[in-house]
Each structure stands twice: as C-alpha cells, then as structure tokens.
Amino acid sequence: MNRRSFIGASLGLGAAVTLAACGANSSSPGPGGGEPKPGGTLRIGALGQASNVVSDPFGLLANDSDMLIMSLVYDPLTVPAKSPNVTGRLAASWTTDAKQQAWTFTLPEAATFHDGSPVRPADVAWSLKTLGEMTPWKVPVDLNSIVPSGARSVTMRAPTPNSQLPLLLRLMTFTVKEGSTDRSDFIGTGPFRMEPGSYRDGNATLVRNDTWHGDKPLLDRIVVTRFESTDALANAIMGGEIDVASSAGPLAARTASARPDLILVRRPNDLSMPIAIRTSDGPFTDPRVREAIRLGIDRRAMIEQVLSGYGSVGNDVLGTGDPTYVDRPQRARDVTRARRLLAEARFDTARTYPLITKREVFNEVEAAQLFAAQLQDIGLKIAVEVKESADFYDNYWAKPSAPLATASWPTNDSVMFFASKVLNSESTSNETAFKDPQFDAAYRAGLAAAPDSADYRDASTNLQQIQFDRGGYVLWGMADGIDVARSNVRGLPELPGWGRAQLENTWLET
C-alpha cells in the first residue's frame, strides 16, 4: 500500500514533489483577469505510473492523475479548506452529540447522480460501509452504526469521542449508488462527469455537470492527461500541449518563472519529508539515540541541497499547518552532544544500519544519502538501500525490516490528524512503531475536547511536545509545491495537498 493512498485526507501526490522557484510570475493566477467567465476546455497534466492506474473510487489511489479524476467525478463528504481546514462537499452540514461520538451528516437537497437519480442517504451509508470494509482507516467509525436517519441525513458513531471526524472523512469518502459493485461507469455526483468512452489508462475527458448541487462549474471540459515523469510533464507545459502541469517539478518552475506566457501557483510547506525511526523495536528504541540522530542533521543543508532552497526547515513534529502548532526553539545541529548521547546509551557504532528508501518523491533517495553522510560526523554508519516501490511497501514500510526509512506526507495537516493516522498505539499504519501511553492519553483527550477549546489546544500541545521529545520522526524539512499554468488560466486552488483538485472555480481568460 502506498503512503499517499493511506493518508486518506490529502494524499495522491504522485511521483515527484514540486518545488517553488523565485520569479516575477510566482504569484497565483488571477490578478488582472477580470470577472470569471464560463466556458472553455482546460487541459491538465498530472503524474501517474501505468502500473498504478486505478479506476475504482474505492481503490488505493497512488497516482495524481487518478486522484484528480476521482475528485472531480465523485463527491466525498468533506474536503480541505483554509480556515477552518475542513468544509462540506456532499455533506451540507453536520452535527454531533455532547460526547462528540454520534454524528449526523446532512446532504444537499439538490444532490443527484450523473444519471439524474437523487442521492439518497442509503447510497452514502452503503458507500461508507463498503469503503470501510475495504480500507478501515478511511472510515474511522463503527461501520454497523452507519445508517440513513432521515430523508437527507446519515448517522454514524465513533468508537470513542472524536471531535475530528469531519476532518478524518475528508477527500476519499466518495459516494456511489447503493449496490454498485461494478464502478467502471463512473456514475458519480461531482462537478464534472465522465465523457462516455473517454477514459483510457488514467486519461480522461470530463464534462461540466450542469446539475451539480454546488455552484455551477465554470469550465465546459477538463482533459486529464497522465504523465509518467516530471520531465515529460514539464516538456508538455513548455511546449503548449497542456494548460496546467500539476506538481511540475523544480526544473519546470525555474523555466516558467522566466516566461511571460506561464505562471506559477506556489503552495508553501506542501510536503513533509521526514525520516521514520522505529521506536519500540530494533536498534533505536533508546530515546537518547533518536535525539542524537536529530542533533546530527544539518537541516538547512538538507533544504539547500535536496530542495534547492525551496522549502522550510522542520522541527520533528508532524502537523505544521495546524492552527494549534507550537513554535518551539529550533533543534539545531550539535555533533558534540550527539556523540555524547550515543556514548551514554552505549550504542553500537561499529555496526552499519540500513536506511530503506525508494524513488517516489523528488530527490527522496538523494535526501537519504545526504542524511546518511551527515550522520557519519556523529559516528553512525548508515547504508542507504533503494527499493522498488512495491517491494518497499510490501516488505519494509511500517515493518521491523526498516529500522530507518524515508517518508513523505503530501499534506500540511493537523496534529490530531497525524496522531490518528500514524502515531497512536492502535493505528495499523504506525510506521515508527510509536507506543507511548502519555501520547495515547493526550490523543484521547484531544478527541474528546471540543474543537477550538482550551482543552483541545492543551491536548495538541502535549502531543507535539511528546513528538518533539521522544517521537520517531526526524522532520528535517517541508517542501513547497507548485503548479505551472498558461497565463490565461485563472482561479487555480492554492490549498496544499489535495485541495488543489478542486477545479470547479477555475476558468480561462480569452
């Protein structure tokens, strides 16, 4: 399973992270464009490997191209937003009980499928149950509790109080018609519908859905083309074959910044690139050893050399986009102290330890190699082992066979989101094998607290401090993201992660 598929609220990054380049055109498109105009066809390129193409909205969507198509054809219950960081899509509203355990989601009155039939609560309930049976982490509720509860509402119950359920249901909770075991017809509810016969191997032509329950989309059509590499994607936007290159890569960004016919949409801190250290088994269980590793890294050098300077230094806590994120003193390189901690822990520096990586995001292997080289200064010998993606996820990811591994999260999401998905002891995708009773207690307290309350903020602060003190991630940096577009493209979304798939407000200036 691909990590980008796993992180159900904002994944599907594709084969390469994008980096922003400096230049006069690096602002978002739109100024000087006047009033939005309907009409036109947008040609958008997205990354995707032929071996990973998936046409089922309930499948594991590893390709950018697949996730883009699904996000336009189908409606999830909720989607990313700026402030707050979640808003409704197929869910018009939601309520919960005093314990924040029983939740009711209400559907829009006008919601219909692309064949004209109305969206029923039974369709939503069946879709959530089916998705949850296939991949339980995508639907973190008691599946048997998901039932229609009125003419336009669906009720579900979380096993424990969970104030973050709308956020945890973002993006991949697509709705199909009840009983749709064959979903190759792409009958969704989204702002665009599949043009019959146009879908081929991750490429598709989408047509505006004039009966969509939201504001009427502006574009007549969106043509999605899958590209195997950032080089091919960059060549296509430079050559005028497409109008938007989604996640175009640093080379395209640098070139585009000097061309008046192209513009950039920059998404700061779009992707975190930590090293995952297993904490409850293997050679790095002593917190002093993990602290030594963190102190052995020159983070600024990593940003400059791995990301060409287009990113920001990380401080070992996931969730830097959270409003409750605490700015604590930056952990800096201290080789002397790192060596002392290794000596105090009686760590075996004569051995060589594997760091498992794969070529999935931009310069991921190069980041691992620089990480290993820097740790030589504190006496650690690290051997970088590059695996094929399938081998990595089948045999190494979240397993003792990878005491050190590269990770990438295509989102700048909330502290509680990451606590839920990969850090609490009960998570089935806890890639650092982090099992900390105090962390789990703070996590439960956060779930039980009302959002924006003092109790919630206190719980988030505690979660961050525990991560910082003894967690398993070395978050050395956050990479910026960027799309390259023709200069007549307006209204491209600027949200990080898969907020960039919301193209219903995009338009073309003629």
Side-chain angles (χ1 to χ4, degrees):
M1 181 178 69
N2 190 295
R3 177 182 293 101
R4 295 161 301 159
S5 301
F6 161 72
I7 192 167
S10 54
L11 29 212
L13 182 67
V17 57
T18 62
L19 305 177
C22 298
N25 297 319
S26 60
S27 60
S28 65
E35 290 297 318
K37 301 177 179 66
T41 297
L42 181 76
R43 303 167 300 167
I44 185 168
L47 294 163
Q49 301 297 308
S51 58
N52 290 336
V53 168
V54 172
S55 60
D56 184 354
F58 295 163
L60 294 174
L61 304 174
N63 285 341
D64 266 22
S65 49
D66 292 335
M67 187 62 186
L68 180 60
I69 291 169
M70 299 305 168
S71 296
L72 294 169
V73 171
Y74 299 94
D75 282 322
L77 281 180
T78 60
V79 291
K82 188 171 183 179
S83 182
N85 59 358
V86 61
T87 190
R89 189 71 158 193
L90 189 57
S93 62
W94 51 83
T95 58
T96 186
D97 62 0
K99 292 184 178 180
Q100 299 186 103
Q101 198 165 354
W103 288 81
T104 298
F105 291 83
T106 301
L107 309 178
E109 290 186 21
T112 61
F113 287 101
H114 295 157
D115 64 1
S117 59
V119 178
R120 303 170 302 133
D123 298 313
V124 176
W126 185 86
S127 297
L128 289 173
K129 286 181 179 179
T130 302
L131 178 64
E133 288 168 355
M134 294 173 64
T135 46
W137 46 265
K138 290 185 181 179
V139 188
V141 300
D142 176 3
L143 298 183
N144 293 324
S145 74
I146 307 174
V147 293
S149 57
R152 293 192 297 114
S153 58
V154 177
T155 298
M156 60 198 74
R157 186 175 182 84
T160 59
N162 190 340
S163 63
Q164 303 300 298
L165 187 62
L167 183 146
L168 298 176
L169 292 175
R170 289 191 320 183
L171 269 181
M172 286 198 177
T173 49
F174 299 124
T175 290
V176 301
K177 300 182 77 168
E178 182 181 14
S180 298
T181 55
D182 179 4
R183 294 179 279 275
S184 61
D185 54 4
F186 294 96
I187 301 298
T189 64
F192 290 85
R193 55 183 174 82
M194 185 70 66
E195 187 172 87
S198 71
Y199 181 84
R200 287 184 178 82
D201 194 29
N203 303 280
T205 298
L206 310 179
V207 181
R208 181 177 60 229
N209 176 16
D210 288 320
T211 62
W212 190 49
H213 56 85
D215 293 338
K216 186 176 179 178
L218 295 169
L219 295 164
D220 289 335
R221 281 179 170 77
I222 297 177
V223 178
V224 180
T225 302
R226 179 179 61 81
F227 289 88
E228 290 273 344
S229 69
T230 52
D231 287 345
L233 183 62
N235 289 336
I237 188 67
M238 299 303 163
E241 299 172 29
I242 55 177
D243 302 307
V244 177
S246 179
S247 296
L251 179 59
R254 293 189 191 98
T255 304
S257 66
R259 283 182 48 167
D261 61 327
L262 298 174
I263 51 180
L264 310 182
V265 176
R266 183 173 180 172
R267 299 184 301 277
N269 295 338
D270 191 55
L271 179 106
S272 60
M273 298 181 68
I275 301 294
I277 309 174
R278 289 188 68 84
T279 62
S280 62
D281 55 40
F284 305 112
T285 56
D286 191 323
R288 293 173 294 183
V289 176
R290 300 196 295 276
E291 176 70 3
I293 292 174
R294 292 189 176 105
L295 293 172
I297 297 304
D298 185 337
R299 296 158 194 260
R300 176 50 58 186
M302 295 282 287
I303 295 294
E304 295 299 327
Q305 296 181 48
V306 176
L307 303 180
S308 300
Y310 304 127
S312 56
V313 169
N315 208 18
D316 305 326
V317 175
L318 295 177
T320 55
D322 194 319
T324 67
Y325 182 79
V326 177
D327 285 322
R328 53 182 46 80
Q330 177 65 50
R331 183 175 267 130
R333 196 180 203 211
D334 189 334
V335 172
T336 300
R337 185 170 170 232
R339 284 180 171 272
R340 185 169 65 249
L341 285 169
L342 291 177
E344 290 174 1
R346 297 183 179 180
F347 188 75
D348 186 357
T349 56
R351 286 180 55 191
T352 298
Y353 301 91
L355 168 54
I356 311 300
T357 187
K358 73 283 183 202
R359 297 188 184 278
E360 185 172 78
V361 302
F362 175 76
N363 273 359
E364 185 170 3
V365 171
E366 290 76 8
Q369 292 168 340
L370 181 56
F371 183 88
Q374 290 183 352
L375 290 185
Q376 291 179 5
D377 293 344
I378 67 170
L380 281 186
K381 301 187 190 105
I382 305 295
V384 176
E385 299 182 13
V386 183
K387 307 294 181 182
E388 295 295 327
S389 287
D391 185 24
F392 179 90
Y393 289 107
D394 289 343
N395 299 311
Y396 296 95
W397 182 53
K399 293 180 174 63
S401 54
L404 292 169
T406 56
S408 54
W409 294 111
T411 176
N412 198 13
D413 224 311
S414 72
V415 170
M416 194 64 67
F417 181 89
F418 285 111
S420 171
K421 296 295 185 182
V422 295
L423 282 165
N424 78 85
S425 297
E426 296 182 358
S427 170
T428 57
S429 298
N430 188 331
E431 63 187 348
T432 60
F434 189 59
K435 303 182 188 303
D436 189 294
Q438 289 182 319
F439 185 92
D440 292 345
Y443 168 63
R444 290 191 296 270
L447 290 180
D452 301 325
S453 67
D455 288 343
Y456 179 84
R457 185 171 293 275
D458 288 345
S460 177
T461 299
N462 290 338
L463 290 171
Q464 294 172 61
Q465 192 63 52
I466 293 169
Q467 279 193 69
F468 183 81
D469 290 340
R470 55 184 183 271
Y473 287 106
V474 184
L475 180 52
W476 56 266
M478 302 283 292
D480 293 339
I482 199 166
D483 295 335
V484 178
R486 312 299 301 176
S487 59
N488 68 323
V489 179
R490 306 293 186 212
L492 283 172
E494 298 179 20
L495 290 171
W498 270 105
R500 59 190 164 95
Q502 299 169 39
L503 297 175
E504 61 271 13
N505 294 321
T506 300
W507 57 284
L508 301 175
E509 184 179 21
T510 56

